[in-house]
Amino acid sequence: MALDVKTTTRTQPHWIVNPFEEIYSLWGKISDNPRDGSVAHLVGYVDTNDGSVGDFEMDVVFHSGERWLSFREGNRVYFVVPVNPREGVEGAYLRVLKVLREEL
Amino acid sequence: MKRKATSVEILAGKDEVIRILEDSPQFITNWPYVVKVSTRDGLVAEILLPRFLFKFGDTYRFSVMKDDTSYIYDGTGKRSHLIVTVTLKEWQTHTMADIELSYKGRGEFLLGKPLEVLLKGIGNGLKSLSEAPKQAPVPAISSHVADEVDFADPMSVANFLVKSRMVHSGLHVVQKGGLLNLVLELRENLKDDVLYVSGITQDGSKSFKLLLRKSQILALEYRSDNEIKVVKVEDDASARQALEFVSRIEGAYMVNAWVPVGGV
């Protein structure tokens, strides 16, 4: 399985809280697609401090198409990221990581 | 002698609570202020009670006494004496545990607050340990679930994850050829036959997925900068190939592990 998101080596955000458990707790929602063709998105925020991620919160919403959105307000990065259940929990993690890299 | 008492309502059967109390080293490890527990030469625990600028530390040698309804943990230290008594009452839907703590010795007039925190912590620890779900999966279901997973079909993995429970997540440094040791470590506390382990480096450049039944590898996906390899173990040759890729895995990975729970 090829992951769509390619990453380049740049400074890595350092996670103080393990993101995988949080993403996996949403897994039921991500893979349970209510309507054909709609795409699951992770929506939430991440608090960063000198490249390390302290607090974060996320949830799942569905949208008719893929939509990327992220902006930064002080130390807080807000994001909407499409996720693909085929990429697994790791794929979702990489997509959040990609947003963080762009915003940091 | 300073005495404190509290009671907690535990939403679990009496047998569950007794199971926790029986494993006294594990139980004591979960108390607050416990720095070290050793079982090499009897049950010995080092407890450090902080108060203002001082720290009242002592090493207690515990002896455990029990009867039908109560457990007594009697700790004798060099300068103090600590006794924890847990009395259980069983009701239809829950179990009440009355916990009494008594402390005699150094600093006993100062230590009101820390002893209260210690007592509350013991109660909460007992409650959450007893209420934690038991690990008793049905092997027939979990084996069947594993058969449906095919790494060449990502949706089968996604469906597998829905029917699974995450049992571990953390950063591990994998030595060359040492992945199976890590898997053994993860297995130690699990009764399940089937285990799904996935790992990814923090920058996402390398990853692996591994599906195991007991010590046998069922399937493997290995991804590095320039290659993706999926192996489904069906015969000796593919088993050898899978092992070869496993031995190549090396570095710092975020490792997650799941076990199937059956269900829908």
Side-chain angles (χ1 to χ4, degrees):
Chain A
M1 177 191 68
L3 298 173
D4 284 348
V5 185
K6 291 279 181 273
T7 52
T8 50
T9 34
R10 257 202 280 161
T11 44
Q12 290 300 317
H14 170 70
W15 296 79
I16 293 170
V17 192
N18 189 334
F20 283 98
E21 284 167 13
E22 177 70 19
I23 296 176
Y24 181 63
S25 71
L26 298 170
W27 190 252
K29 288 190 197 168
I30 293 175
S31 55
D32 176 31
N33 198 331
R35 292 185 305 274
D36 274 339
S38 61
V39 184
H41 289 67
L42 277 180
V43 49
Y45 70 82
V46 167
D47 279 340
T48 61
N49 190 1
D50 278 344
S52 65
V53 176
D55 197 16
F56 62 91
E57 226 180 282
M58 45 182 105
D59 206 347
V60 179
V61 292
F62 287 90
H63 215 286
S64 53
E66 281 205 4
R67 214 161 269 197
W68 291 83
L69 172 73
S70 64
F71 59 92
R72 184 175 170 168
E73 197 183 271
N75 283 332
R76 189 168 274 199
V77 176
Y78 294 87
F79 61 85
V80 178
V81 182
V83 286
N84 186 346
R86 303 168 72 94
E87 293 174 357
V89 178
E90 289 79 19
Y93 164 73
L94 286 184
R95 284 170 178 241
V96 173
L97 205 61
K98 186 184 172 208
V99 166
L100 281 181
R101 284 215 187 91
E102 282 167 4
E103 294 296 330
L104 286 180
Chain B
M1 178 81 79
K2 200 116 190 165
R3 280 178 198 278
K4 301 264 172 194
T6 187
S7 44
V8 281
E9 186 185 313
I10 300 169
L11 299 173
K14 193 177 165 189
D15 292 346
E16 275 304 301
V17 185
I18 284 179
R19 194 171 58 88
I20 303 299
L21 293 173
E22 280 287 339
D23 189 357
S24 32
Q26 175 74 30
F27 177 47
I28 291 175
T29 308
N30 282 289
W31 293 3
Y33 304 135
V34 169
V35 189
K36 208 161 101 187
V37 173
S38 140
T39 50
R40 204 176 304 152
D41 177 26
L43 179 55
V44 176
E46 194 182 332
I47 301 177
L48 211 63
L49 298 166
R51 187 60 171 157
F52 309 124
L53 287 173
F54 317 113
K55 280 200 164 67
F56 296 89
D58 209 342
T59 308
Y60 300 91
R61 180 170 296 275
F62 277 95
S63 54
V64 184
M65 288 151 281
K66 60 185 170 186
D67 62 19
D68 283 352
T69 55
S70 59
Y71 277 74
I72 301 169
Y73 300 86
D74 188 331
T76 315
K78 290 189 190 79
R79 284 167 296 203
S80 51
H81 195 174
L82 183 80
I83 303 171
V84 175
T85 313
V86 183
T87 311
L88 299 177
K89 258 181 262 152
E90 188 172 31
W91 301 89
Q92 270 187 340
T93 53
H94 64 274
T95 308
M96 284 303 288
D98 293 324
I99 304 171
E100 196 189 285
L101 172 77
S102 59
Y103 179 91
K104 191 175 149 189
R106 205 162 69 103
E108 72 176 81
F109 298 108
L110 288 172
L111 284 170
K113 189 75 191 169
L115 290 174
E116 215 175 297
V117 176
L118 176 62
L119 180 70
K120 284 231 172 77
I122 293 173
N124 289 338
L126 182 62
K127 183 175 161 72
S128 45
L129 282 172
S130 310
E131 287 176 2
K134 270 183 291 182
Q135 290 179 355
V138 185
I141 293 176
S142 55
S143 299
H144 158 71
V145 168
D147 288 338
E148 285 173 4
V149 176
D150 185 353
F151 285 144
D153 170 17
M155 235 22 231
S156 71
V157 181
N159 287 332
F160 173 79
L161 289 182
V162 174
K163 298 175 204 161
S164 304
R165 178 167 61 92
M166 191 182 236
V167 287
H168 178 80
S169 178
L171 184 66
H172 292 266
V173 177
V174 180
Q175 305 286 337
K176 198 168 178 69
L179 182 63
L180 290 177
N181 292 340
L182 175 64
V183 171
L184 270 183
E185 248 172 66
L186 295 177
R187 271 222 179 270
E188 235 162 48
N189 299 318
L190 298 171
K191 294 192 184 89
D192 312 71
D193 279 356
V194 175
L195 181 69
Y196 169 61
V197 184
S198 90
I200 186 164
T201 52
Q202 281 202 311
D203 61 356
S205 61
K206 287 192 278 183
S207 72
F208 67 85
K209 296 192 171 98
L210 198 59
L211 186 69
L212 299 122
R213 178 180 289 142
K214 290 184 179 155
S215 60
Q216 179 200 358
I217 300 173
L218 295 179
L220 163 105
E221 185 198 280
Y222 173 85
R223 194 169 65 85
S224 70
D225 295 321
N226 42 24
E227 66 173 324
I228 299 169
K229 188 78 192 165
V230 177
V231 181
K232 195 170 171 70
V233 176
E234 277 156 340
D235 46 28
D236 281 356
S238 53
R240 246 197 308 278
Q241 202 186 6
L243 272 179
E244 193 199 314
F245 280 108
V246 165
S247 63
R248 273 200 221 170
I249 292 164
E250 173 184 27
Y253 283 85
M254 294 292 299
V255 176
N256 303 304
W258 285 272
V259 294
V261 287
V264 204

